[in-house]
Amino acid sequence: MVRRAGVRPLSTVEEGARVILNLATSPAVEGQTGLYFNGLHEAKRRPKPMIQKRVGSYSRLSLELTGLSAEGVAALER
């Protein structure tokens, strides 16, 4: 996706996979949700009007693709 946009990736596939695996299995972030990361470092989200408009549609699409409901996801988070 990045290359198709004509942008040079900031990291290799291997580096990206290592970060995702670490965040998925790290006890340091276990049980925490809604965080944003730049690599292995927690980052602050900068709200942008366009992003905020899309969040709802991305959430709906994610639920549709996974076959989950908003209530089911909320129950998992408890």
Side-chain angles (χ1 to χ4, degrees):
M1 178 176 73
V2 173
R3 287 189 178 116
R4 284 187 182 187
V7 179
R8 182 185 165 135
L10 299 176
S11 61
T12 66
V13 172
E14 292 79 12
E15 290 167 333
R18 195 174 313 119
V19 168
I20 291 170
L21 182 60
N22 185 17
L23 289 172
T25 61
S26 173
V29 292
E30 185 175 345
Q32 298 184 43
T33 63
L35 301 176
Y36 292 84
F37 286 86
N38 183 357
L40 293 173
H41 304 285
E42 187 174 349
K44 300 247 184 225
R45 180 179 69 95
R46 295 185 185 135
K48 296 181 181 177
M50 183 59 88
I51 290 174
Q52 290 176 345
K53 288 180 185 177
R54 292 182 180 175
V55 166
S57 61
Y58 288 150
S59 295
R60 284 189 295 279
L61 178 60
S62 296
L63 292 172
E64 181 182 323
L65 292 173
T66 59
L68 297 172
S69 68
E71 295 79 19
V73 171
L76 290 173
E77 291 176 347
R78 287 187 216 134

